[in-house]
């Protein structure tokens, strides 16, 4: 039998513990947290919570509580290229961020992730409070560790004002970012409101400086707004105090042709992810806009590049089990956003 010295045993123990704390198993040089595939969880350790038992889940996201009959979508785990994610540890997260404020700023996809994180931190014996505002923002506070999970509803990030002509998006102005400065971890998101049209469109004009525009290419407007956001972050946050992230473009599944399934109308009835490491459909033009803006920041935000891993999860939406209209853009809880937070946890610990 091979004998090891005390020093060898100690070295191996320290190495294993270090790897576990890092949140990643594998070769970090080849690890890409956002490229990989969804695999069936053989351990039986997923999901990490039940949507019907978490007090923070919006009723429209509690898919099984709304009658969804299948449950396979709950048992897939993300396998990144070149490494594996460590299971999320809620007690460890709360200890590490004792007294801190974690703030999500953006549209309902930001709320989707905020609710997921709160559920991953929740257990029945943990004291908490919930505070909601009429504008749709909220704060979940965990008393024992003094940790706040906050959501600020702001789908464009830049200012929206009422003028004589109507509702105006001021693409070069952020005047209500004061509360963002309170946060220790900031996760921003903005995209889906930009592509709303018809009755769902919430603006009439764009403004840049003194110029008012009735029409502008969506991606041009989006780029101006994100550049304004990036300048705000560079001017108003201290990288030594505040970690800043940007939640990437979350996929929708309203047309089966997008993933090569002719004759499939939408996400309804989908029970499994797309197999493999690639998505057969088109790339989102907004992806490159986000990446271009972030790379030009003085202190670049960390991009949670979730596009591919969401594109592959046509099965993860509430679909007709949203308690109302068909929903192929948001995500069931428990479900896909839990992986976003597992990746966030890994990045916070290691990078």
């Amino acid at each position: 039998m091979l004998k090891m010295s005390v020093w060898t045993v100690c070295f191996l123990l320290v190495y294993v513990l270090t790897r576990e704390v890092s949140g990643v198993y594998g070769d970090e040089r080849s690890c890409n947290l956002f490229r990989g595939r969804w695999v069936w969880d053989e351990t039986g350790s997923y999901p990490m919570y039940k949507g019907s038992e978490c007090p923070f889940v919006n009723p429209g996201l509690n898919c099984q509580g709304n009658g969804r009959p299948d449950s396979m979508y709950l048992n897939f785990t993300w396998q990144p290229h070149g490494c594996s994610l460590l299971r999320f540890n809620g007690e460890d997260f709360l200890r590490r961020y004792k007294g801190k404020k974690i703030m999500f700023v953006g549209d309902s996809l930001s709320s989707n992730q905020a609710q997921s994180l709160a559920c991953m931190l929740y257990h029945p014996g943990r004291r908490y409070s919930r505070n909601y505002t009429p504008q749709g923002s909220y704060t979940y506070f965990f008393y024992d560790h003094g940790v706040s999970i906050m959501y600020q509803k702001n789908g464009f990030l830049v200012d929206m004002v009422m003028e004589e002509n109507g509702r105006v998006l001021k693409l070069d102005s952020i005047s209500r970012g004061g509360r963002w400065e309170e946060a220790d971890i900031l996760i921003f998101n903005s995209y889906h409101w930009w592509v709303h049209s018809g009755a769902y469109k919430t603006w009439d004009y764009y403004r840049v400086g003194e110029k008012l525009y009735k029409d502008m290419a969506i991606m041009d407007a989006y780029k101006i707004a994100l550049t304004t956001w990036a300048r705000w972050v560079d001017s108003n946050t201290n990288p030594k105090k505040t970690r800043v992230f940007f939640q990437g473009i979350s996929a929708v599944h309203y047309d089966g042709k997008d993933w090569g399934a002719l004759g499939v109308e939408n996400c309804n009835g989908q029970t499994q992810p797309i197999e493999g490491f690639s998505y057969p459909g088109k790339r989102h033009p907004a992806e490159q806009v986000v990446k271009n803006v972030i790379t030009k920041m003085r202190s670049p935000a960390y991009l949670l590049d979730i596009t591919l891993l969401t594109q592959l999860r046509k099965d993860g939406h509430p679909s007709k089990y949203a308690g109302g209209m068909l929903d192929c853009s948001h995500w069931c809880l428990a479900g896909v956003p839990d992986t976003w937070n597992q990746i966030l946890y890994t990045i916070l610990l290691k990078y």
Side-chain angles (χ1 to χ4, degrees), residues 39-167:
V39 298
W40 182 257
D41 172 44
E42 299 287 353
T43 68
S45 56
Y46 292 89
M48 287 180 270
Y49 59 90
K50 293 182 178 180
S52 58
E53 295 177 358
C54 177
F56 310 119
V57 174
N58 182 299
L61 304 177
N62 179 16
C63 300
Q64 291 204 298
N66 289 332
R68 179 166 175 168
D70 64 296
S71 61
M72 286 181 63
Y73 72 95
L74 295 169
N75 301 112
F76 288 95
T77 184
W78 178 245
Q79 178 61 63
H81 175 74
C83 53
S84 296
L85 296 176
L86 185 68
R87 181 178 171 84
F88 184 90
N89 186 321
E91 183 64 32
D92 176 69
F93 186 99
L94 288 169
R95 272 200 316 268
R96 289 175 182 274
Y97 296 100
K98 184 175 182 178
K100 303 297 185 182
K101 295 178 179 179
I102 295 93
M103 183 181 292
F104 295 83
V105 182
D107 58 30
S108 52
L109 275 305
S110 285
S111 181
N112 218 166
Q113 186 176 1
Q115 292 174 47
S116 163
L117 179 59
C119 289
M120 293 165 76
L121 297 175
Y122 169 79
H123 70 64
R126 191 164 282 154
R127 297 186 304 140
Y128 67 89
S129 64
R130 294 176 290 182
N131 179 46
Y132 298 91
T133 73
Q135 293 75 35
S137 302
Y138 53 77
T139 299
Y140 304 137
F141 183 72
F142 292 91
Y143 284 102
D144 295 338
H145 297 84
V147 173
S148 299
I149 306 298
M150 311 169 74
Y151 166 63
Q152 294 290 308
K153 185 178 180 181
N154 190 329
F156 297 108
L157 300 181
V158 294
D159 291 338
M160 165 82 81
V161 298
M162 285 297 300
E163 297 185 359
E164 291 183 6
N165 296 310
R167 303 164 298 180

Side-chain angles (χ1 to χ4, degrees), residues 41-337:
D41 172 44
E42 299 287 353
T43 68
S45 56
Y46 292 89
M48 287 180 270
Y49 59 90
K50 293 182 178 180
S52 58
E53 295 177 358
C54 177
F56 310 119
V57 174
N58 182 299
L61 304 177
N62 179 16
C63 300
Q64 291 204 298
N66 289 332
R68 179 166 175 168
D70 64 296
S71 61
M72 286 181 63
Y73 72 95
L74 295 169
N75 301 112
F76 288 95
T77 184
W78 178 245
Q79 178 61 63
H81 175 74
C83 53
S84 296
L85 296 176
L86 185 68
R87 181 178 171 84
F88 184 90
N89 186 321
E91 183 64 32
D92 176 69
F93 186 99
L94 288 169
R95 272 200 316 268
R96 289 175 182 274
Y97 296 100
K98 184 175 182 178
K100 303 297 185 182
K101 295 178 179 179
I102 295 93
M103 183 181 292
F104 295 83
V105 182
D107 58 30
S108 52
L109 275 305
S110 285
S111 181
N112 218 166
Q113 186 176 1
Q115 292 174 47
S116 163
L117 179 59
C119 289
M120 293 165 76
L121 297 175
Y122 169 79
H123 70 64
R126 191 164 282 154
R127 297 186 304 140
Y128 67 89
S129 64
R130 294 176 290 182
N131 179 46
Y132 298 91
T133 73
Q135 293 75 35
S137 302
Y138 53 77
T139 299
Y140 304 137
F141 183 72
F142 292 91
Y143 284 102
D144 295 338
H145 297 84
V147 173
S148 299
I149 306 298
M150 311 169 74
Y151 166 63
Q152 294 290 308
K153 185 178 180 181
N154 190 329
F156 297 108
L157 300 181
V158 294
D159 291 338
M160 165 82 81
V161 298
M162 285 297 300
E163 297 185 359
E164 291 183 6
N165 296 310
R167 303 164 298 180
V168 178
L169 265 178
K170 300 179 69 175
L171 300 178
D172 58 351
S173 173
I174 295 177
S175 62
R176 294 187 289 273
R179 290 211 64 192
W180 305 351
E181 298 180 44
E182 302 173 11
D184 300 283
I185 300 171
L186 274 166
I187 304 100
F188 291 96
N189 158 257
S190 181
Y191 175 64
H192 281 268
W193 284 19
W194 293 90
V195 295
H196 287 173
S197 59
Y200 296 101
K201 185 178 178 181
T202 54
W203 74 97
D204 302 304
Y205 295 91
Y206 303 105
R207 181 178 290 284
V208 181
E210 299 300 317
K211 293 186 177 181
L212 195 66
Y213 301 88
K214 177 62 177 175
D215 295 304
M216 183 184 296
I218 292 294
M219 287 300 102
D220 290 345
Y222 184 61
K223 181 179 180 180
I224 296 170
L226 281 194
T227 301
T228 300
W229 161 81
R231 289 172 179 162
W232 185 96
V233 171
D234 278 337
S235 300
N236 294 279
T237 63
N238 180 353
K240 295 181 178 179
K241 174 188 178 296
T242 306
R243 296 292 304 272
V244 180
F245 296 83
F246 192 91
Q247 182 201 93
I249 310 304
S250 177
V252 301
H253 293 92
Y254 284 104
D255 190 344
K257 291 195 296 293
D258 290 342
W259 62 91
L262 300 179
V264 175
E265 188 173 352
N266 50 51
C267 70
N268 187 36
Q270 299 300 308
T271 60
Q272 295 186 47
I274 296 169
E275 295 182 0
F277 299 88
S278 61
Y279 183 71
K282 297 179 181 178
R283 305 292 293 184
H284 285 272
E287 288 183 76
Q288 197 57 48
V289 173
V290 170
K291 291 175 182 177
N292 289 345
V293 169
I294 287 178
T295 56
K296 294 177 182 177
M297 296 175 68
R298 185 170 65 246
S299 298
Y302 200 113
L303 175 60
L304 297 176
D305 192 6
I306 61 172
T307 303
L308 175 63
L309 66 88
T310 56
Q311 285 176 325
L312 298 177
R313 288 305 304 268
K314 58 185 172 59
D315 60 316
H317 301 287
S319 68
K320 67 178 183 180
Y321 303 103
M325 62 187 298
L326 181 78
D327 187 347
C328 295
S329 58
H330 299 95
W331 303 94
C332 296
L333 293 179
V336 173

Side-chain angles (χ1 to χ4, degrees), residues 31-42:
C31 178
N32 187 329
L33 297 174
F34 304 106
R35 293 294 177 268
R37 62 192 179 104
W38 291 95
V39 298
W40 182 257
D41 172 44
E42 299 287 353

